[in-house]
Amino acid sequence: MNNEPDFSETNPSGTADRAARGRFREPVGVPASHALAWVVMGWQYFKKAPSAWIAMTIIWIGGTLLLSMVPLVSLLVNLIFPVLVAGMMMGCAAIERGEPLMVSHLFAGFKLPTSGRLIALGAVNIGITLGAIMLIAVLFSLFIGGAANISDPQELQAAILADEASGMLLLLLLLLVMLPVIMAFWFAPLLIAIDSRRVAEALQLSLRGCLKNALPMLLYGLLFLPLFILSVFLMGLGFLVVIPMLYASLYASYKDIFHAPFQE
């Protein structure tokens, strides 16, 4: 088996929601070494249009921070998050076609036939995340926190800090609950936007794709970890490069795992 991913067949064909050229397949496991190739591809995409990528990132982060100041409106960010991710994937497809990346690609997901499914995915994400957090909070209150009021974040935080062992146990429980959720949503926006999968099917396929590639996904995260740490030391300016690299490499990893090149 080839130890390097084949990104030679990258010229898209078909309609706009088929961003990557290739035949959809059930997720396959790839060698751990592919993780490095995904990160490198993310950098290659960024180098093609750094100004546009940075502008999109500023709009994304700035808009998110502004909307987060309004409690109810902040839910809108989570609701449309998959649509914005899909837009950036359309931008990656444009780069592959040799077309310029435009800031407007950030909102291209709203024009897809599957935009309704993407918004539905955002709603499911909100519901599952809130449910998981509530479950952990209830378990902490019942078995660890005693009389701590889970509806009061400050009181809950104080209870965690008062007992470091309990706090670590809570974080472990949170990780065990949230990790499958993160894996289920990782590739889901791409499965909907690129290959027109329904929400439930996209969640299942994404989870299976991550489980089949646990080692390369772990290495992929470890490769990005120092980049995020470096970005913090650079007063956050590094995120203007790292965030575009992250999403562009997500596109590369999706094609590697879920697409087989067309046989000419």
Side-chain angles (χ1 to χ4, degrees):
M1 182 176 182
N2 186 6
N3 288 328
E4 296 298 331
D6 180 9
F7 291 119
S8 59
E9 296 289 341
T10 56
N11 184 30
S13 64
T15 57
D17 60 340
R18 289 298 304 273
R21 189 181 189 190
R23 183 180 67 257
F24 177 79
R25 64 185 176 190
E26 292 290 310
V28 299
V30 301
S33 60
H34 284 211
L36 178 59
W38 301 339
V39 177
V40 172
M41 285 300 297
W43 170 245
Q44 295 297 328
Y45 281 117
F46 177 80
K47 287 200 305 181
K48 293 287 186 180
S51 298
W53 279 116
I54 290 173
M56 286 194 296
T57 304
I58 291 174
I59 293 172
W60 185 325
I61 295 177
T64 299
L65 292 176
L66 288 175
L67 291 175
S68 297
M69 297 178 182
V70 185
L72 294 179
V73 179
S74 62
L75 291 176
L76 178 63
V77 177
N78 296 314
L79 194 63
I80 66 174
F81 178 78
V83 187
L84 299 178
V85 172
M88 286 192 289
M89 301 304 104
M90 299 301 102
C92 290
I95 292 175
E96 288 184 336
R97 293 192 296 268
E99 299 173 1
L101 177 69
M102 308 293 291
V103 175
S104 58
H105 276 118
L106 180 61
F107 307 103
F110 290 101
K111 299 180 181 179
L112 292 176
T114 54
S115 59
R117 295 180 191 175
L118 291 166
I119 293 174
L121 178 66
V124 172
N125 188 17
I126 293 173
I128 292 179
T129 301
L130 290 177
I133 292 175
M134 285 297 296
L135 174 62
I136 293 299
V138 169
L139 290 175
F140 178 82
S141 180
L142 291 177
F143 301 105
I144 303 174
N149 180 11
I150 63 172
S151 63
D152 186 342
Q154 292 184 346
E155 186 174 343
L156 186 59
Q157 181 180 6
I160 294 174
L161 294 176
D163 188 341
E164 292 183 3
S166 298
M168 291 299 296
L169 179 58
L170 176 63
L171 291 176
L172 179 60
L173 289 173
L174 182 60
L175 177 64
L176 291 175
V177 171
M178 291 304 299
L179 187 58
V181 175
I182 293 172
M183 290 191 293
F185 281 92
W186 188 252
F187 292 114
L190 292 83
L191 284 157
I192 294 173
I194 296 175
D195 289 297
S196 302
R197 302 294 154 171
R198 297 189 177 277
V199 174
E201 182 184 9
L203 292 169
Q204 294 173 6
L205 286 170
S206 178
L207 178 61
R208 285 161 52 193
C210 289
L211 290 175
K212 284 187 176 182
N213 293 277
L215 186 56
M217 294 295 290
L218 175 61
L219 180 58
Y220 174 70
L222 292 176
L223 288 171
F224 264 104
L225 181 60
L227 297 179
F228 274 91
I229 294 174
L230 179 61
S231 297
V232 172
F233 281 108
L234 293 175
M235 302 176 62
L237 294 178
F239 288 117
L240 297 178
V241 177
V242 174
I243 290 177
M245 283 182 59
L246 177 65
Y247 284 103
S249 62
L250 169 64
Y251 181 73
S253 64
Y254 176 78
K255 292 189 304 173
D256 194 23
I257 294 171
F258 288 93
H259 277 195
F262 283 129
Q263 300 297 324
E264 301 292 347

